[in-house]
Amino acid sequence: MIFFDVFAFIFGAAIGSFLNVCIFRIPAEQSIVKPASQCPNCRHPIRFYDNIPIISFLILRARCRDCGAKISWRYPLVEFITGLLALLLFMKFGPTLTFLVFFIFTAVLIVITFIDLDHQIIPDILSLPGIPVFFLAAVFIVGVPWLEALIGLLIGGGVLLTIAFVYELITKREGMGGGDIKLLAMIGAFLGWKSLIFVLLFSSLAGALIGIAAMIINKQDTKYAIPFGPFLSAAALAYIFWGDAFMRFLIFRS
């Protein structure tokens, strides 16, 4: 099993390398297929042996082989996070189609997270197709009851839409983008409506704590905006691993 665990991490890290391409090119509306990976500074194509996840970054000492430009630490970070999550998902689901579906869902959340951090947008090209695709995957592969997934989709989008409407009505300014609404609809469609209890609590608490800290550090007022997509994504991933324990806790407490 150790061999398969190692393979799962390597597989995830390799996909993480591709996710870096998506994170960089999707907001720029560029093809994620062509051209091949290249240095953002000198545009020289990256050699295959310089494109080994994490290892190449260390061997090159975070510098481009051709122009010497510094390579962002974000590249190996995304590769490591994707590899680690692939390993954890493999340990939870084993070599199954369910593992593959959850990994694809996780990969989409990783791309959304880093794009939202960089640009404060969640591209429709990820969230809109993700809603029906993950709804179908949840029902026909994962085994989520179709009504539970449908309610999750409707409530996921409806809750944030209501919050955004009320907030804008009171403050006269936009407090939540449409991308967050579509993202939560996608999460609810895949994980079911019960997951939204955990996701909303976790993301709201984490967002509030980090938001307050960011305002203090940057000496900003309450109008200071931070992207909410990363918190929703982190909450969805946390639910995958700890959601069952959380729901048992709620039932026991009630």
Side-chain angles (χ1 to χ4, degrees):
M1 288 302 298
I2 294 178
F3 170 81
F4 290 109
D5 290 345
V6 172
F7 177 80
F9 179 85
I10 294 174
F11 167 75
I15 298 298
S17 180
F18 172 69
L19 298 188
N20 276 317
V21 175
C22 296
I23 292 167
F24 181 80
R25 296 187 183 182
I26 288 177
E29 298 183 350
Q30 299 175 359
S31 170
I32 60 175
V33 179
K34 295 180 180 180
S37 297
Q38 57 187 2
C39 172
N41 185 62
C42 67
R43 304 296 180 182
H44 193 284
I46 298 176
R47 302 164 180 82
F48 74 91
Y49 49 82
D50 286 338
N51 208 22
I52 303 173
I54 303 173
I55 296 176
S56 291
F57 179 84
L58 298 175
I59 293 176
L60 293 172
R61 298 182 181 182
R63 297 282 179 180
C64 172
R65 183 184 296 273
D66 296 287
C67 68
K70 189 174 182 180
I71 302 173
S72 173
W73 57 268
R74 280 269 297 273
Y75 291 102
L77 176 63
V78 170
E79 293 165 353
F80 177 78
I81 290 174
T82 310
L84 179 61
L85 288 172
L87 171 60
L88 294 175
L89 289 170
F90 184 80
M91 293 173 65
K92 181 177 179 65
F93 298 110
T96 62
L97 189 57
T98 299
F99 157 74
L100 183 60
V101 169
F102 271 93
F103 177 72
I104 294 172
F105 177 72
T106 298
V108 172
L109 293 182
I110 291 173
V111 175
I112 286 174
T113 293
F114 283 95
I115 289 178
D116 204 13
L117 286 172
D118 287 341
H119 306 281
Q120 294 196 357
I121 60 170
I122 298 177
D124 286 344
I125 196 173
L126 295 172
S127 58
L128 286 182
I131 293 174
V133 167
F134 289 117
F135 171 82
L136 294 173
V139 174
F140 293 106
I141 298 177
V142 180
V144 178
W146 71 268
L147 186 58
E148 184 174 327
L150 180 61
I151 294 175
L153 188 163
L154 297 176
I155 293 179
V159 167
L160 288 191
L161 182 62
T162 302
I163 293 174
F165 175 77
V166 173
Y167 181 88
E168 187 170 351
L169 189 66
I170 295 174
T171 64
K172 306 301 181 184
R173 67 176 186 268
E174 184 178 342
M176 187 169 296
D180 297 323
I181 297 170
K182 298 163 193 169
L183 173 59
L184 190 59
M186 185 184 82
I187 292 171
F190 184 62
L191 299 178
W193 68 266
K194 295 177 184 177
S195 69
L196 299 178
I197 303 172
F198 178 92
V199 169
L200 287 171
L201 286 175
F202 183 99
S203 59
S204 298
L205 178 60
L209 292 175
I210 295 178
I212 292 172
M215 284 189 292
I216 295 174
I217 293 172
N218 294 284
K219 299 180 180 179
Q220 299 288 331
D221 58 19
T222 55
K223 295 181 180 180
Y224 183 69
I226 60 172
F228 194 51
F231 298 105
L232 290 173
S233 298
L237 292 175
Y239 180 82
I240 292 173
F241 297 106
W242 303 308
D244 290 342
F246 175 76
M247 296 307 297
R248 286 196 298 269
F249 173 77
L250 284 184
I251 295 173
F252 175 76
R253 294 286 293 182
S254 61

